[in-house]
Amino acid sequence: MKIPPYVAVTVVIFAAFGANYVTATGVRGRNHQNHQVRELEAEDIMFWTRVMEETGSIPPVTTKPTKRPTVMTFKPTSKPVATSTSNPTVMVTTTSPTAGATSENPTTSRVTANPTAIAITGSPSASITTANPTAITTTESPTVDVSTISPTAGATSSVPSPIPTTTSPTPKPTPVFIAPTTPAPTFPCNLTPEERARNITELAQDVSNPADIATPGSPQQRALDWIINEDAMVACPSDMLIQRYVLAVFYYSTDGDNWKICNAPDDFGSTEAIESANQACNLTTTNATAIFPDDIRGTNAWLSPDSECLWGGVSCYPENSPNAFNVNVIEFEDNDIGGTLPFEMQELTNLRFFALERGGISGPIPEEFGNFPSLLLMDFDFNNLSGTIPDSIWTLPRIRQLDLNDNALAGTLATAIGNLEQLRFFQIDNNNFEGTIPSEIGNMSNMGLLGFSGNLFTGSVPSEICGLRPSPLRTLVVDCTVECSIPDCCTDCA
């Protein structure tokens, strides 16, 4: 319902909603052409908004926040590759004349370097020695044929007597081969694809029934497959990934591919398909925007490779909030949402507004929906929900508005409803409830609107409820078959 914020809505036409009214004779039917137009003083989210304007600000959330993890990326590092150099043999020739000799015996020696390579730089006469594992150091003294070289007195000639000198062979060292170092490949999340898939699967199994995950084509199996293999965001295993997985389960459970708008891209790997899907989505959290103006929100297609906070109809706590990036609001109206409600939604523990109006959702309200510690508003009107209202709903500690009119719910109202002392708006018109209206509703000292018409209730309106009129209870509508004084207690009957 697109209603401007902070405007008190005073007229609600029950017949326009296809109200299932009960006539004064007790005959009940869905045809509303013959019924009078009924006026209520408030309706839906804006009633709650107006009351909050009068009584104070939105109550704070006290649950622990879940921090968004920091995704670390690593650059490969290269190691130096060992290089080899040749080992030239350095020839050094020295001439050493000896006094008293008529000839010289030059000695030529072959020098081999130490196996550890050392580069020597400096004067031009410096030599460079390098490792040579096969080198054998030898020195030799060849005979030099000369006639006379600086003769010494008393000597006419000199015949050299060369004495060859050899050194012991140097043992051949064992060669050491160093393979070139190749940096190890890097993967998203610093995990191999197999490790990432295993870790994400373990997280999903903590949230969903493993049997559901193992069932081909189930919402849980499709959501997990998308997270691991198709989501271009390539999210890392973490507590925040649970939120993304849960919303994917919600998408597949409520037949997301057949929503009017904001459907997932046709091809998760195509930039063009993703951009086209985003352009086709213009859904936003219309009513909650005025109440939570600082929330992170967008109009991107569901399952697009962006933060789930930017998907149409979703908003998250702002970045400077203790609950930053946690889902705060889910709001859909008239978007052809079908299928069933998945119990996994209970994981969104900081959710405050949960509104799915005018769709085709069937099946029961999950018992797990009583596990929303921060929930302020639950609005599932004009769907095809069946079964009873779970007893767990009567334990929601902060619930202000419970709007379930125009469904196929049945059973009786539990007396535990009196525990919802913060409830201000309770509407279950046009269902199949029966029995009597609990007197414990009189405990709700903040109640502003009660709608019970179009059901099978009997008896009379308890005096404890009438005691809330005219303030704070401004509107009370019941079946005309229920005894209630008008206008002292009930504002109308239908």
Side-chain angles (χ1 to χ4, degrees), residues 325-339:
F325 307 109
N326 282 227
V327 173
N328 184 27
V329 175
I330 297 176
E331 183 182 343
F332 284 83
E333 183 176 351
D334 195 23
N335 196 36
D336 287 350
I337 294 183

Side-chain angles (χ1 to χ4, degrees), residues 265-280:
D266 294 332
D267 184 352
F268 294 113
S270 167
T271 302
E272 292 77 10
I274 294 169
E275 181 62 26
S276 176
N278 287 343
Q279 291 294 328

Side-chain angles (χ1 to χ4, degrees), residues 365-400:
I365 299 172
E367 182 76 26
E368 291 81 0
F369 278 22
N371 297 333
F372 291 115
S374 302
L375 194 66
L376 302 174
L377 178 147
M378 181 184 289
D379 190 349
F380 299 156
D381 62 7
F382 295 97
N383 280 284
N384 296 317
L385 294 170
S386 58
T388 62
I389 298 177
D391 288 341
S392 62
I393 297 297
W394 314 129
T395 66
L396 291 170
R398 293 180 175 84
I399 191 73
R400 264 62 168 175

Side-chain angles (χ1 to χ4, degrees), residues 22 26 28 431-436 452-459 479 481-482:
V22 176
R28 180 170 176 271
N431 280 283
N432 298 307
F433 292 105
E434 57 187 4
T436 59
F452 297 115
S453 65
N455 285 285
L456 303 173
F457 288 115
T458 58
D479 290 328
T481 55
V482 175

Side-chain angles (χ1 to χ4, degrees), residues 90-101:
V90 181
M91 303 298 298
V92 181
T93 304
T94 60
T95 303
S96 180
T98 305

Side-chain angles (χ1 to χ4, degrees), residues 261-262 277-284 286 298-300 312-313:
I261 55 175
C262 299
N278 287 343
Q279 291 294 328
C281 177
N282 59 8
L283 182 65
T284 187
T286 307
T299 57
N300 287 347

Side-chain angles (χ1 to χ4, degrees), residues 93-128:
T93 304
T94 60
T95 303
S96 180
T98 305
T102 59
S103 65
E104 182 184 2
N105 181 20
T107 302
T108 303
S109 62
R110 186 185 304 272
V111 181
T112 304
N114 186 288
T116 302
I118 303 174
I120 305 175
T121 60
S123 65
S125 62
S127 61
I128 301 176

Side-chain angles (χ1 to χ4, degrees), residues 71 90 161 271 297 370 443:
V71 179
V90 181
S161 300
T271 302
R297 54 175 54 85
N443 297 336

